[in-house]
Amino acid sequence: MEDVSPMRFDYHALPSRVLFGAGRRRETPEVARQLGCTRPLIVSTPEQKDLAGAIASLFTGSPAQIFPEAAMHTPWDVTARALSLTQASAVDSLIAVGGGSAIGLAKALALRTGLPQIALPTTYAGSEVTPIIGETQDGEKRTRRTLDVLPEAVIYDVELTLTLPARLSATSGLNAMAHAVEALYSVDANPVTSIMAEQGIAALAAALPEILADPASRDARSRAQYGAWLCGTCLGSVGMALHHKVCHVLGGTFDLPHADTHAIMLAHVVAYQAGAAPHAMRRIARALGADDAWTGLHALAARLQVPQSLAEIGMPHEGIGRAAELVLQETYANPRTPDYESITLMLERAWHGAAPQPDSP
Ligand code: NAD
């Protein structure tokens, strides 16, 4: 058993129902009915209001309500407005159609109302299969884990992803891959999650360049969505480590775009961890078909033409020290014990868009 080391683990499966396949969004009313629901509130971002309307029109018996104001990082003022609407109308369920922003809003509402949720993801971020919610209030983003926010059903319909711009597909796909990468060296790593992680990385690594070349490819989009489901399941199942902590700090402190931040940082953090997690590195490299994990991820990011530096996405250079301090503030399990000097060095490289370096722990 080369892949299981050491052979001692806990495994927690999460309750979830997944429907996967082109056109399956049309089954949404039936899935709702099976949950005992007929009058949903459908949430989306403003940009995906028409899609929310299209899902609403599938509910022919009683009209579905729409709240198209979801925003990144689940700001509390938006949740409060949606909560008023939920409480004022006789809705019996929540449907999120969109990426992590729409799904985050439905989770925030489910947390406070207990209503069941159906998620129709349109990006690769993976929130739909996690019991995790991050909410922002007074400029601070707080994350917690509770089964109360896990959607009861998820419908992966590839047709909903065909409009995702190529650039966002690439960064969102790398965001998904980051979940699987950290699952492989997670303190909770277990054989089942690791199989999903390796398959998820491999599926996305193969599909994303094809999507960049042909954004309308349903085949490549389906394989990417399959990979995203696997990677999201990893995020939902095991604890994450330094990469997610760094991206959380950078996104929250400097208001950087979520998927871009993940895409830029992933190869740098993997290089940082390399010496402390050799077993995970071998599996990541194998999934990428690369000689080693960080050069494989760096080459993939370059091939996908995603932003290469934190400077490009608006991080102020003088913020590096503050970011390093925040990364070190909380304790969390990580293969390599982080320290101020090495984190600062890694962030400097990422800020300039320099190549990742596996400097030893
Ligand atoms: P997003 O949901 O903010 O979407 C980004 C933009 O793309 C939006 O304008 C959206 O309307 C648009 N869009 C989405 N799908 C589209 C499509 N198919 N076609 C055209 N436009 C489309 O982005 P995201 O990266 O999916 O989500 C980021 C948010 O999700 C962050 O707040 C992050 O913290 C959260 N997140 C949470 C978890 C979790 O487990 N709780 C996991 C991952 C991400």
Side-chain angles (χ1 to χ4, degrees):
M1 280 297 268
E2 181 257 331
D3 287 340
V4 185
S5 171
M7 197 62 175
R8 176 188 167 89
F9 57 86
D10 288 10
Y11 174 63
H12 299 275
L14 292 175
S16 78
R17 177 174 183 211
V18 170
L19 290 81
F20 195 101
R24 298 201 70 178
R25 65 186 177 284
R26 295 185 196 95
E27 295 174 44
T28 308
E30 177 59 12
V31 173
R33 200 190 54 74
Q34 287 160 357
L35 290 167
C37 305
T38 53
R39 297 181 313 278
L41 176 72
I42 301 177
V43 303
S44 73
T45 58
E47 298 82 14
Q48 291 184 290
K49 184 180 178 180
D50 290 350
L51 182 57
I55 300 298
S57 69
L58 298 171
F59 287 78
T60 48
S62 45
Q65 299 255 14
I66 298 175
F67 183 85
E69 294 178 39
M72 188 139 348
H73 305 307
T74 329
W76 172 249
D77 59 316
V78 175
T79 301
R81 283 201 304 279
L83 203 53
S84 301
L85 178 63
T86 308
Q87 284 157 352
S89 20
V91 301
D92 59 11
S93 49
L94 303 160
I95 296 179
V97 52
S101 296
I103 294 165
L105 174 57
K107 284 178 164 182
L109 297 174
L111 184 63
R112 287 154 185 109
T113 60
L115 291 175
Q117 303 173 71
I118 301 172
L120 290 100
T122 65
T123 70
Y124 306 128
S127 178
E128 64 280 357
V129 283
T130 80
I132 304 168
I133 179 166
E135 298 183 280
T136 312
Q137 193 168 10
D138 302 327
E140 196 185 336
K141 187 166 177 179
R142 290 221 175 107
T143 301
R144 58 180 142 161
R145 261 182 194 262
T146 163
L147 278 177
D148 295 343
V149 302
L150 183 70
E152 276 71 5
V154 182
I155 302 177
Y156 287 104
D157 182 339
V158 68
E159 290 167 4
L160 302 183
T161 65
L162 295 173
T163 50
L164 190 65
R167 181 179 180 279
L168 192 48
S169 302
T171 54
S172 187
L174 288 168
N175 179 192
M177 245 188 225
H179 310 328
V181 161
E182 294 230 298
L184 284 166
Y185 54 65
S186 169
V187 68
D188 309 313
N190 63 74
V192 175
T193 308
S194 295
I195 288 168
M196 289 193 277
E198 204 173 324
Q199 270 248 323
I201 294 169
L204 281 160
L208 294 177
E210 293 178 38
I211 291 171
L212 199 69
D214 177 11
S217 167
R218 293 161 75 98
D219 174 51
R221 291 274 190 194
S222 288
R223 286 182 282 116
Q225 203 174 29
Y226 170 67
W229 168 46
L230 294 174
C231 294
T233 303
C234 292
L235 172 66
S237 308
V238 298
M240 296 287 111
L242 180 68
H243 173 79
H244 282 74
K245 178 71 191 169
V246 167
C247 292
H248 182 85
V249 164
L250 294 177
T253 313
F254 308 107
D255 199 24
L256 305 183
H258 178 82
D260 283 3
T261 311
H262 275 269
I264 292 164
M265 287 311 305
L266 185 58
H268 288 279
V269 179
V270 168
Y272 184 91
Q273 313 274 39
H279 183 71
M281 295 300 139
R282 279 196 295 279
R283 292 191 74 157
I284 297 164
R286 186 165 71 190
L288 293 168
D291 290 340
D292 61 63
W294 71 92
T295 54
L297 287 167
H298 188 56
L300 179 64
R303 196 171 163 204
L304 294 175
Q305 297 165 32
V306 299
Q308 296 290 310
S309 71
L310 293 174
E312 252 177 282
I313 61 166
M315 179 180 171
H317 186 256
E318 62 275 17
I320 288 177
R322 173 81 186 125
E325 279 166 16
L326 289 170
V327 166
L328 295 172
Q329 238 168 40
E330 277 169 49
T331 50
Y332 50 91
N334 192 62
R336 174 177 172 186
T337 306
D339 59 78
Y340 183 82
E341 201 187 331
S342 61
I343 293 290
T344 308
L345 186 61
M346 178 185 72
L347 289 173
E348 276 287 351
R349 284 194 195 108
W351 192 87
H352 288 283
Q357 292 292 330
D359 43 18
S360 52

